[in-house]
């Protein structure tokens, strides 16, 4: 008998999000791509946002349409107000409405504090925090216009903010990124409080270490992987699908009573693993 545990592939039910339209920002790479594919597999039509590399976005679209649902690629920089508004308008034109927003687009521009330029600070805040605000604001206008359609979902709309364990864990050398994610947490909770009476559910997913291009240096070499695994009690680096499945569930009516929560999907990274043997 094999001494290792085989990976069991699991998938959400194919009709879980049937008849719903989802928009995923930064959906041509990493977690956004995995999430767009999983939403499509769960029956949603999907808008695949990208800011560069149209070809990668079109590949995601092709894969999603092969599941028998609709998908389009839509270029927009989430930090630009007019581009975000145009993206939501196009979503409504193409698919009639919007039911699910996954505000996922994000970036890092790392530097120690005295080396960090104002441009590096500002860019990360603009994309990671202001970008999520702009997308949420425009999505809410459409959710409000349409209201609840009971045959489709119990909620008038769902927003899932892509946060990070660094909304909780300080991260030296990444003050712009960690600050942006701390901001995402409070933005998410405040929007959830403000919008819940309108049956708009706002939640967040906080990934731990997921194997994507954003953190390649943390998993590319054997020694980097070893260092990283010391921070993960569950002893594996996450895959985009781990996050995608959390998003699909949060977006579905299975989680209809979940409002203003951050779901940590991190293999236990936020359990202070250094204290497992000391403290
Ligand atoms: P990634 O680099 O593969 O994906 C980021 C995506 O955001 C890309 O598609 C990129 O083009 C897009 N993007 C960047 N700036 C944009 C802009 N102005 N407008 C539109 N799109 C833009 O990295 P990823 O790991 O998939 O990151 C996705 C999200 O997950 C980010 O918010 C990141 O902070 C978060 N996250 C990732 C990890 C991880 O370990 N990979 C951990 C915690 C949180």
């Amino acid at each position: 008998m094999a001494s290792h545990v085989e990976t069991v592939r699991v998938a959400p039910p194919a009709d879980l999000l049937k008849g719903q339209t989802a928009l995923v920002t930064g959906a041509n790479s990493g977690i956004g791509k995995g999430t767009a594919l999983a939403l499509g597999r769960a029956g949603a039509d999907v808008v695949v946002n990208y800011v560069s590399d149209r070809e990668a976005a079109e590949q995601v679209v092709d894969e999603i349409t092969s599941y028998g649902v609709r998908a389009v690629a839509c270029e927009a920089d989430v930090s630009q107000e007019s581009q975000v508004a145009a993206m939501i308008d196009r979503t409504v034109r193409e698919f009639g409405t919007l039911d699910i927003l996954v505000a996922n687009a994000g970036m890092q521009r790392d530097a120690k504090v005295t080396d960090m330029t104002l441009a590096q600070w500002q860019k990360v805040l603009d994309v990671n925090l202001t970008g999520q605000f702009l997308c949420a604001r425009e999505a809410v206008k459409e959710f409000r216009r349409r209201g609840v359609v009971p045959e489709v979902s119990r909620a008038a709309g769902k927003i899932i903010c892509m946060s990070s364990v660094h909304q909780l864990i300080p991260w030296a050398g990444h003050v712009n990124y960690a600050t942006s994610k701390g901001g995402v947490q409070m933005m998410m909770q405040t929007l959830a409080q403000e919008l819940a009476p309108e049956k708009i559910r706002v939640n967040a997913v906080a990934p731990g270490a997921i194997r994507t291009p954003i953190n390649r240096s943390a998993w590319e070499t054997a020694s980097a992987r070893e260092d990283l695994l010391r921070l993960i009690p569950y002893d594996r680096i996450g895959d985009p699908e781990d996050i995608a499945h959390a998003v699909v569930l949060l977006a579905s009516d299975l989680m209809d009573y979940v409002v203003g929560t951050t779901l940590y999907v991190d293999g236990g990274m936020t359990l202070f693993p250094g204290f497992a043997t000391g403290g």
Side-chain angles (χ1 to χ4, degrees), residues 26 28-29 31 77-78 104-106 163 177 181 207-208 210 212-215:
N28 60 346
S29 174
I31 290 171
D77 179 337
V78 296
N104 164 79
S163 189
Y177 183 85
K181 296 302 185 180
I210 310 300
T212 75
I214 211 173
N215 58 358

Side-chain angles (χ1 to χ4, degrees), residues 25-33 49-52 76-79 103-108 123 127-128 132 162-166 177 181 206-215:
T25 64
N28 60 346
S29 174
I31 290 171
K33 174 179 174 178
N49 162 252
Y50 68 98
V51 70
S52 59
D77 179 337
V78 296
S79 67
N104 164 79
M107 64 176 350
Q108 292 180 213
K123 179 73 182 172
V127 174
N128 294 11
Q132 291 208 13
M162 198 56 66
S163 189
S164 163
V165 290
H166 296 296
Y177 183 85
K181 296 302 185 180
I210 310 300
R211 207 184 304 266
T212 75
I214 211 173
N215 58 358

Side-chain angles (χ1 to χ4, degrees), residues 48-252:
V48 175
N49 162 252
Y50 68 98
V51 70
S52 59
D53 197 352
R54 180 178 181 90
E55 207 175 307
E58 292 292 359
Q59 280 169 14
V60 176
V61 165
D62 288 347
E63 186 162 346
I64 294 172
T65 51
S66 78
Y67 307 148
V69 293
R70 295 176 295 170
V72 291
C74 183
E75 182 179 353
D77 179 337
V78 296
S79 67
Q80 300 301 313
E81 191 172 25
S82 59
Q83 293 184 34
V84 171
M87 175 166 68
I88 303 290
D89 282 353
R90 179 164 172 215
T91 301
V92 175
R93 262 200 327 277
E94 299 252 1
F95 295 137
T97 189
L98 175 68
D99 302 282
I100 299 160
L101 166 69
V102 185
N104 164 79
M107 64 176 350
Q108 292 180 213
R109 288 283 184 276
D110 309 330
K112 295 285 187 197
V113 60
T114 50
D115 297 328
M116 188 173 286
T117 63
L118 177 58
Q120 285 173 318
W121 167 268
Q122 197 63 58
K123 179 73 182 172
V124 169
L125 269 291
D126 283 352
V127 174
N128 294 11
L129 184 55
T130 306
Q132 291 208 13
F133 164 72
L134 291 172
C135 291
R137 190 186 70 185
E138 296 310 306
V140 166
K141 290 178 188 170
E142 173 56 20
F143 297 161
R144 191 174 276 159
R145 183 195 67 76
R146 190 204 59 244
V148 177
V149 180
E151 310 78 63
V152 174
S153 175
R154 297 179 76 178
K158 283 83 58 144
I159 296 174
I160 292 105
C161 300
M162 198 56 66
S163 189
S164 163
V165 290
H166 296 296
Q167 71 171 27
L168 181 73
I169 305 174
W171 202 16
H174 307 261
V175 66
N176 49 1
Y177 183 85
T179 303
S180 74
K181 296 302 185 180
V184 164
Q185 177 180 27
M186 188 45 74
M187 182 192 74
M188 179 280 288
Q189 290 178 303
T190 300
L191 291 180
Q193 187 194 61
E194 185 171 328
L195 298 166
E198 297 180 67
K199 294 279 179 285
I200 295 170
R201 290 197 297 118
V202 188
N203 290 286
V205 172
I210 310 300
R211 207 184 304 266
T212 75
I214 211 173
N215 58 358
R216 187 180 296 282
S217 62
W219 49 262
E220 209 165 30
T221 65
S223 82
R225 273 197 303 278
E226 206 175 297
D227 286 349
L228 184 55
L229 285 173
R230 266 197 280 277
L231 302 174
I232 309 172
Y234 205 55
D235 202 31
R236 75 169 170 87
I237 298 171
D239 297 312
E241 275 194 347
D242 290 310
I243 306 305
H245 291 159
V247 171
V248 167
L249 282 177
L250 274 175
S252 78

